[in-house]
Amino acid sequence: MALRSVTPINKGWTFKQVDDESSKFLPVAQFPTNVHLDLMHHNIIPDPFVGKNENLVQWVGERDWVYKTSFSSSEVPKGVKSVIAFDGLDTYATVVLNGKEILKTEDMFIPERVDVSDVLKHGSENELEITFHSTWMVGKKLVEKYSEHGWGCWNGDVSRLAVRKAQYHYGWDWGPMLMTCGPWRPINLETYSSRVSDLYFTTTVDKSLKSAKVVAIAEVEGEAAEVKFELSLNGKTIASESTQAQKGSGTVTFNVEEPELWYPHTYGKQPLYELSATVSSGETKLDTVSKKLGIRKAELVQRKLEDQPGTSFHFEVNDIPVFCGGSDWIPADNFIPRISSQKYRDWVKLVQDGNQVMIRVWGGGIFEEAAFYDACDEMGILVWQDFMFGCGNYPTNADFLALVKREAIENVKILRHHPSIVIWAGNNEDYQYQESESLDYDPENKDAESWLKSTFPARYIYEKILPDVTKALCPNTYYHPGSPFGGKDTRDPTVGDIHQWNVWHGTQEKYQNFDKIGGRFVSEFGMEGFPSIKTIDAYLPEGTKDADRYPQSSTVDFHNKADGHERRIALYLVENMQYKFDPFEQFIYSTQLMQAECLASAYRLWKREWKGPGREYCAGALVWQINDCWPVTSWAIVDYYLRPKAAYYTVKRELAPITIGLKRTVTSTPANKYTRVDVKTVHKIEMWASNLSLEKRTMGVQLKAWDLVTGKETYSKSLHDGFVLEPNRSVEITEFEVPVEKQNAEEEQRTVVAAYLTENGKQMARYINWPEPLKYTHLQKPKDLKVKLSASGEALEITAEVPIKGVAVEAADDGVVFSDNCVDVVPGETVYIGVKGLKSGEEDKLDVRYLN
């Protein structure tokens, strides 16, 4: 018997087109890889992210490709098994080893293991060849084969529904169509006589939070009899125990006193225990597997609310209700193999630094790489995990259902140990598609077999297969049939989660009215904004000299995949602010400011509805989306190159632990039911504050106002010296008329109002409220706007003599990083923006913009 060995098969790979006699085997660009990366490496195709090159590479997805390599294998003792583990093949592949077919695949999400003991040549070279068949062609033929199914979807070709490949590869309303193939995840040769085939556990935290029970299970393959479990923290062994494997499984229970609990980063630390299992035969150690775990109690609470219909939809971690401000996540590239572990960490760090506490892995992408979930575990980001179905009516033939079940089992097993994952959801918007097409759905019908005969047969996947899998494999994690889902339909704001797209899509509501279209948990909403000019220059073929370097050019339009984006961006711009197309940089700024104002409004107004126990009227808001998969104008708040847009910073401010909010209202009351003239109009401002900390806080509340034309301070008053903010909720403070000298003389339209919270003399929160729409205001061009580096070199100090809306600073050097941006400035105050990478005297290298 021998210790299990793992040898990467990652050297010497070559590839070629199958059906082209002139094609020769060429070295791959990297490994793991995909065909587009390899073709670009040899300049056979242009970069599809540049210009309109996406159109020039569509042929790639309709061809078959072959990859091959050779590797040596040492002699192994008798009784030792040799296995090749394929972590991911994209998608339809035929694998041949030494001339013998050993595997066929049809799901890019399923890792495969093949016993090659009888095929491997020990002590000599082995040839491994993988032929990848065109998934596009296979999908088209499957649609023909199952023509009786009601094929239909939003985004991409309907044939995507027939294949288990990342659905966004078919194109989406934010991404290109790039039909990849190849060995996209590692391939390893394993030799062993016995191994730990799976290590998993359940954790139960006592109500007191003072103790926890960890039940550890190791599945054992082979003849090993003894399993030693060890639980450690920070390199120190907490407990260990050995047991005999029974029927291929060993189980022990650890009782942990005074456990160090895992928390979201806003409420505590993220200690990660390490659980290991070692299998032995006598004195010979044969294999060891270890996994990180976080001890925590997490649950989704749905209970009746006070004063409002429906039920809550809020998460509690270690008995702490959490307002889940966060983002939706799509794959960070169309070519996954080139995303480094560090880039995943950089993305998650942006989420954490942005005061966000939850990220939703969207169902049209992939079950993400380990580096992503590890970063969420370590940084305290809660994960909402969709299964990989999106925006369509999926088939349910027997082969497809069997594949889906296996895919679910494999991926739940891979991911279930992550403490960050607090919910599984069956799909993205498939129930909305069902409603839009009036497909069969009777919530009272619980006969699962009958669903398969309906026009919405995929209900069987979301309400039978997937809940059965999650219940069996991770029973302590909540399963939700879809996103959105709940109530009388997917639009019901009183139960479950909703996707609120009536700003941008749908009825195209004003974003100032987000409070009227909220829900118990808003898991999608958004607004588009252009990316940085540096990002646009990177995709224009001629860069800064490109003839298409203007907002309405065909190349710039090509890098926006949203239907009707021209009209929608124009609508929200023209409704809200004055803007210019030239220079291009100012137009980009205007779209980013509009996006920033829109999303900040949503977070501010919905967080106002987080009112404490029994009144969790809105418990979460996840913006669509945090990231991009290529350089594009989209709903992302950080672009493909990890350059934050203005909205990233306004959202960050709204999700701070302590915030203050203001909203203007205008009420007109006629003197009688006949008059059109004798009407009293009152301009009021509502004020509230949010305290997401777990401590009662006592704050001073101040109010100021300025004339935005003259810059004169027109009002200043301390409203409270000791206003109490109860923990973990929002509270109303007051309502007052806009402070003007003469009412209804249009002074309200030139009055800027600021509210402040202070604690022990320190400013804890600030919010500037402007007359809206901003396009009606007579914003002044400042004569004395100053942006200078502080003496410490760690912050920019910004001052001005008149109120300025949305001061944004940008540097050509990506090494200059800002902690805040797009800030409002009022006379008599200094606004500080943290900065790294800027030296004294380099302020002139900054590009400063504002609304005028």
Side-chain angles (χ1 to χ4, degrees), residues 737-744 747-748 751:
E737 293 188 15
V738 176
V740 294
E741 291 183 4
K742 186 176 181 181
Q743 293 183 346
N744 295 319
E747 290 185 21
E748 291 87 355
T751 299

Side-chain angles (χ1 to χ4, degrees), residues 432-552:
Q432 282 194 325
Y433 183 83
Q434 168 263 316
E435 291 170 359
S436 74
E437 298 298 312
S438 300
L439 304 179
D440 297 339
Y441 189 80
D442 177 6
E444 300 302 318
N445 177 12
K446 304 303 180 183
D447 178 10
E449 294 302 317
S450 71
W451 305 339
L452 294 170
K453 302 172 185 177
S454 73
T455 57
F456 183 53
R459 179 183 182 184
Y460 188 87
I461 297 173
Y462 315 135
E463 297 183 39
K464 175 59 177 172
I465 292 177
L466 299 180
D468 284 355
V469 169
T470 55
K471 183 178 180 180
L473 299 179
C474 54
N476 294 335
T477 304
Y478 182 79
Y479 174 80
H480 194 48
S483 180
F485 187 87
K488 63 181 183 295
D489 57 36
T490 60
R491 299 177 299 278
D492 188 342
T494 68
V495 179
D497 68 316
I498 63 168
H499 291 183
Q500 184 46 269
W501 281 108
N502 280 321
V503 170
W504 181 269
H505 289 302
T507 54
Q508 298 182 336
E509 301 291 329
K510 296 180 185 298
Y511 60 68
Q512 291 84 353
N513 297 331
F514 264 124
D515 53 344
K516 299 177 182 177
I517 53 173
R520 298 293 173 245
F521 195 107
V522 186
S523 47
E524 279 191 24
F525 68 100
M527 174 60 66
E528 281 203 351
F530 271 59
S532 165
I533 188 66
K534 293 181 287 186
T535 297
I536 293 172
D537 288 341
Y539 73 64
L540 290 172
E542 301 299 324
T544 59
K545 298 180 180 180
D546 200 289
D548 265 7
R549 196 178 187 262
Y550 64 94
Q552 296 166 296

Side-chain angles (χ1 to χ4, degrees), residues 393-450:
N393 187 26
Y394 284 83
T396 54
N397 56 77
D399 290 344
F400 189 82
L401 291 181
L403 198 63
V404 163
K405 182 175 182 179
R406 185 168 170 234
E407 174 191 304
I409 290 170
E410 293 293 337
N411 285 281
V412 171
K413 283 183 175 181
I414 290 169
L415 298 178
R416 60 182 166 181
H417 69 283
H418 290 285
S420 53
I421 298 177
V422 293
I423 182 173
W424 291 86
N427 65 79
N428 171 77
E429 295 185 355
D430 288 2
Y431 286 98
Q432 282 194 325
Y433 183 83
Q434 168 263 316
E435 291 170 359
S436 74
E437 298 298 312
S438 300
L439 304 179
D440 297 339
Y441 189 80
D442 177 6
E444 300 302 318
N445 177 12
K446 304 303 180 183
D447 178 10
E449 294 302 317
S450 71

Side-chain angles (χ1 to χ4, degrees), residues 805-821:
K805 178 66 188 173
V807 176
V809 291
E810 187 173 8
D813 181 3
D814 283 336
V816 178
V817 179
F818 306 101
S819 67
D820 199 359
N821 220 321

Side-chain angles (χ1 to χ4, degrees), residues 609-621:
E609 298 303 304
W610 177 252
K611 293 182 177 293
R615 304 174 71 210
E616 301 94 347
Y617 304 135
C618 181

